[in-house]
Amino acid sequence: MFSVDILPSSELVLTELGINPDASGSMQVSHFQKVQCRAVINWLTKYKPSSDASNLEKVRGYLETCHHLSELENWKAAGKILSIRLNTPTRDEFHNQLNTWGYYRELLDLFTQLLGKLNSTWEMVLLNGLGNLHNSLGDYNTAIQYQRQHLAVAKASSDRQSEGLALGNIGLNLYFLGDCHQSIQYSEQSLAIVREVGDRRAESAALGNLGLAYDALGDYSKALDYQQQRLAIAQQIDDYRGQREAWGNLGLTYNSLGDYTRAIECHQQSLEISRNISDQFGEGQALGNLGLVYVSQGNYIGAIEYHQQSLQIARTIGDRRGESASLANLGNIAYYLGQYREALDFHQRSLVISQDIQDRRGEANSLGSLGSIYDASGDYEKAIAYHQQQMAIAKLIGDRDGEASGLGALGNAFLSMSDYEQAIGYFQQYLQMTEAIGDRSGKGVALGSLGNVYFSLEEYQPASEYYQQRLEIARDIGDRRGEGNVLCNLGAVAIRLEQYSQAIEYLQSALEIAISLKTRYIQAVTLQNLAAVHRRLSRYQEALEYCDRALEIATELEIPLLQECKELKEMLLNEQLERKSSEDG
């Protein structure tokens, strides 16, 4: 939380509102109006929150002032309160700062109260604000409804700049709903208009939105191109926040591509800019994104440090959505490490915050994560129940990406239960949905999941065919991490088919990718499989060497694979000894 001096002086605010405290008693108005006016003055001049008050309590005077101004039907003055810039590091206007802090219900009340009470310019500001607010809440369909109203007022007012802004925000919400092709159409319309009116900042934002949509579609080349265009404009116009966002989005795309060195460089740039402009919100995001890259590399210790820093900043500035995200990221790491009790605790705390701020998408994500933890813990009934709740919310808010993710998670739960028929049914639905929304990356994951089912069924030929399709997509979209993972799976198939030379070829290729990407977990799994191949070939010395390397990484990462490596090493040593005894005999 900030120190108590985040508010401008009460004298400046009263002057801006046109209120003279000394003359309020002599005003020729009704008693009711005098009472309301005196309340405004008292809240602005006499309310003194304690030094350890929450951020909401520190701005309580402004909220109450808006209420009393509304009672006076002094809508213009209430609007001025919303526009006051606070003395926070980002110097945001009051209403934007409330959004950053996650006080969505308070904002809903303020915006709804003023809607229809001011001129068309304010009407567009409020409709846009309500749209952005519902976007923050994960209610994208309602957000689109407000942005369509915003668009209608902009057209009626012949305000091309606002028209472009509304189209861009509709496109952004469609992206969050997983309708990326429609998102691209709206973003392109927005781009054309903002270029026409010469709004360079909005042009930069539209390019960024296009980059997000193409990234979601797995077209990483176009995603990078649009984000680089966005960055160039932001640099030209000294839009530091735009630069910070562009670097962050570039980092996310490079992470998807498995280019972790570049991803880290981009997020470090975003972090540096955020710190230079005292943008703590951006700093927290950049630290969280760095944590995600470290997770992708299997560097869980480094990732935890970044996510803990991000969590601390979110709590300091009152960014409740950011706090929820950081807790979820820490929960994911605990899950990867097999620390299921800690993972449950993190995700349950994240869920409580999402529910409290009415972030439906965040709520669905937390429910899905809890389901995956119960799946891994062997409590399949709970896993399925949580994933079904996740699916229900995704359908309710029209989040097709979330719905696809839920289908995949349910497939995994039934796979864990060895209910292969149900698993295949869910994975096929997952595949169909990714094809419908044009998500090539998701399609690849769905194909790989179907391969996993057939591998479990010991039907290695269809498993291999699905893995080959997964490999083709990974290579086509430049997904190096996905390529490495599926090569490891193909190696495992080849071992079962006793195609040992082919298995070694796949696994060596997977190992090369894993080493280049520094994905320690995949290195460990691949080395374990290489040890298994050489064991089949009775090459015990080579098998032990690979097993020791896998054991070293698994010990470093403290992952469940550690026990499997120990058991494999024990078997190798026993078999090597038996062979030696047989030869000596």
Side-chain angles (χ1 to χ4, degrees):
M1 291 181 289
F2 301 107
S3 58
V4 290
D5 60 352
I6 62 171
L7 304 179
S9 73
S10 56
E11 292 80 7
L12 286 174
V13 176
L14 287 168
T15 300
E16 178 66 22
L17 298 179
I19 295 175
N20 181 354
D22 298 327
S24 62
S26 59
M27 292 188 297
Q28 299 301 307
V29 294
S30 69
H31 175 71
F32 173 80
Q33 290 172 313
K34 281 185 180 181
V35 169
Q36 298 300 326
C37 188
R38 175 46 58 186
V40 167
I41 295 167
N42 288 343
W43 276 109
L44 290 175
T45 60
K46 295 184 177 181
Y47 177 66
K48 304 295 181 185
S50 63
S51 59
D52 61 347
S54 67
N55 288 323
L56 185 61
E57 288 308 308
K58 288 177 181 177
V59 295
R60 175 67 61 191
Y62 281 14
L63 292 171
E64 294 296 336
T65 295
C66 282
H67 166 71
H68 291 291
L69 288 171
S70 297
E71 288 293 310
L72 288 167
E73 298 188 3
N74 191 343
W75 311 114
K76 187 176 180 181
K80 287 181 178 180
I81 292 291
L82 291 184
S83 303
I84 290 173
R85 291 193 180 276
L86 304 186
N87 297 324
T88 56
T90 52
R91 293 283 299 160
D92 270 334
E93 292 182 353
F94 174 47
H95 66 97
N96 286 329
Q97 191 62 61
L98 283 174
N99 189 60
T100 297
W101 286 337
Y103 294 122
Y104 304 133
R105 277 176 269 190
E106 288 76 10
L107 265 179
L108 269 174
D109 290 342
L110 289 174
F111 286 162
T112 305
Q113 206 167 39
L114 291 175
L115 194 62
K117 306 294 195 309
L118 294 160
N119 59 28
S120 61
T121 300
W122 258 111
E123 191 75 355
M124 287 185 283
V125 169
L126 293 169
L127 288 167
N128 183 54
L130 283 163
N132 292 337
L133 182 56
H134 283 283
N135 174 280
S136 296
L137 291 168
D139 187 355
Y140 306 115
N141 286 309
T142 302
I144 289 171
Q145 290 174 19
Y146 278 114
Q147 293 296 352
R148 290 195 187 282
Q149 292 179 60
H150 176 199
L151 179 61
V153 176
K155 286 182 174 179
S157 305
S158 300
D159 185 339
R160 292 286 281 168
Q161 187 173 24
S162 294
E163 185 179 344
L165 178 64
L167 287 165
N169 284 334
I170 291 171
L172 183 62
N173 280 289
L174 287 166
Y175 154 75
F176 283 117
L177 285 171
D179 193 345
C180 292
H181 293 292
Q182 275 275 86
S183 172
I184 288 167
Q185 289 180 21
Y186 275 95
S187 294
E188 285 176 341
Q189 290 179 63
S190 172
L191 182 61
I193 291 174
V194 296
R195 278 177 170 168
E196 171 196 317
V197 300
D199 186 342
R200 297 282 278 161
R201 188 181 295 265
E203 179 184 357
S204 174
L207 289 165
N209 290 347
L210 284 164
L212 290 173
Y214 279 109
D215 181 279
L217 289 172
D219 193 337
Y220 300 124
S221 177
K222 278 189 177 179
L224 290 173
D225 180 54
Y226 278 115
Q227 296 297 354
Q228 284 161 348
Q229 289 184 63
R230 181 189 187 181
L231 177 62
I233 292 174
Q235 289 172 330
Q236 290 166 14
I237 63 175
D238 292 330
D239 175 10
Y240 295 109
R241 187 169 289 185
Q243 290 175 44
R244 183 264 290 173
E245 291 177 357
W247 280 118
N249 288 334
L250 283 166
L252 292 173
T253 300
Y254 281 122
N255 190 29
S256 297
L257 284 166
D259 191 341
Y260 303 126
T261 300
R262 283 189 180 178
I264 289 171
E265 288 171 356
C266 290
H267 291 314
Q268 290 285 9
Q269 289 277 1
S270 179
L271 180 62
E272 183 180 351
I273 291 170
S274 297
R275 285 174 172 168
N276 286 342
I277 63 175
S278 298
D279 180 356
Q280 287 186 285
F281 178 78
E283 183 181 354
Q285 278 196 329
L287 289 165
N289 287 337
L290 282 164
L292 294 177
V293 180
Y294 274 63
V295 166
S296 297
Q297 292 181 315
N299 184 350
Y300 298 124
I301 303 303
I304 288 170
E305 290 177 4
Y306 278 119
H307 287 311
Q308 285 177 335
Q309 290 179 61
S310 180
L311 177 62
Q312 183 58 47
I313 289 175
R315 285 174 170 167
T316 298
I317 65 175
D319 174 13
R320 303 179 76 205
R321 194 177 190 187
E323 181 181 357
S324 176
S326 294
L327 288 167
N329 287 329
L330 287 165
N332 289 338
I333 295 171
Y335 166 72
Y336 300 144
L337 292 172
Q339 300 166 353
Y340 300 133
R341 185 174 298 176
E342 292 87 344
L344 282 172
D345 179 61
F346 278 122
H347 282 297
Q348 283 166 344
R349 286 154 64 192
S350 175
L351 176 63
V352 168
I353 294 173
S354 293
Q355 290 174 331
D356 189 41
I357 64 176
Q358 299 177 13
D359 176 4
R360 301 311 303 278
R361 194 180 204 192
E363 181 182 357
N365 290 340
S366 291
L367 290 166
S369 296
L370 287 165
S372 296
I373 296 166
Y374 281 114
D375 181 358
S377 303
D379 192 339
Y380 304 123
E381 286 188 13
K382 274 191 178 178
I384 290 167
Y386 273 109
H387 288 312
Q388 286 173 336
Q389 290 179 66
Q390 172 195 10
M391 286 274 292
I393 292 175
K395 286 180 178 179
L396 183 67
I397 65 175
D399 179 4
R400 301 181 78 193
D401 277 337
E403 189 176 349
S405 175
L407 289 166
L410 281 165
N412 285 328
F414 282 105
L415 175 58
S416 298
M417 294 170 66
S418 300
D419 188 340
Y420 301 121
E421 185 177 349
Q422 288 242 58
I424 289 171
Y426 278 111
F427 287 139
Q428 285 177 336
Q429 289 181 67
Y430 179 24
L431 177 62
Q432 290 164 5
M433 183 160 284
T434 58
E435 289 175 333
I437 63 180
D439 177 7
R440 298 200 68 206
S441 177
K443 179 180 179 181
V445 173
L447 289 165
S449 297
L450 284 163
N452 294 340
V453 179
Y454 285 102
F455 183 88
S456 297
L457 285 166
E458 299 182 1
E459 296 182 24
Y460 299 120
Q461 195 55 46
S464 178
E465 290 171 4
Y466 278 115
Y467 288 147
Q468 288 289 355
Q469 291 180 69
R470 166 80 171 107
L471 179 62
E472 182 181 350
I473 289 176
R475 285 174 169 167
D476 192 39
I477 65 177
D479 177 8
R480 292 279 285 162
R481 180 173 52 189
E483 181 182 356
N485 291 355
V486 76
L487 283 168
C488 187
N489 290 343
L490 283 164
V493 169
I495 293 172
R496 272 50 171 201
L497 292 173
E498 300 182 354
Q499 298 169 352
Y500 299 127
S501 60
Q502 182 71 70
I504 291 171
E505 185 178 331
Y506 279 132
L507 292 169
Q508 288 289 1
S509 296
L511 184 60
E512 287 174 16
I513 292 173
I515 290 172
S516 70
L517 300 180
K518 299 179 181 177
T519 49
R520 302 285 283 161
Y521 176 79
I522 298 303
Q523 286 178 51
V525 173
T526 307
L527 288 164
Q528 182 198 34
N529 278 319
L530 280 164
V533 177
H534 287 284
R535 177 188 172 219
R536 294 285 187 97
L537 294 169
S538 299
R539 298 173 182 169
Y540 294 111
Q541 193 56 43
E542 292 96 327
L544 280 166
E545 288 173 6
Y546 282 120
C547 187
D548 281 338
R549 289 169 65 187
L551 189 58
E552 180 184 354
I553 295 172
T555 302
E556 175 194 327
L557 298 179
E558 299 178 351
I559 51 178
L561 184 70
L562 175 61
Q563 185 59 37
E564 294 179 32
C565 290
K566 286 180 178 178
E567 292 172 0
L568 176 59
K569 183 172 183 177
E570 187 177 348
M571 283 191 292
L572 286 167
L573 289 170
N574 288 336
E575 289 173 13
Q576 185 182 45
L577 185 62
E578 288 173 9
R579 181 177 177 181
K580 186 177 180 181
S581 298
S582 175
E583 289 174 351
D584 289 345

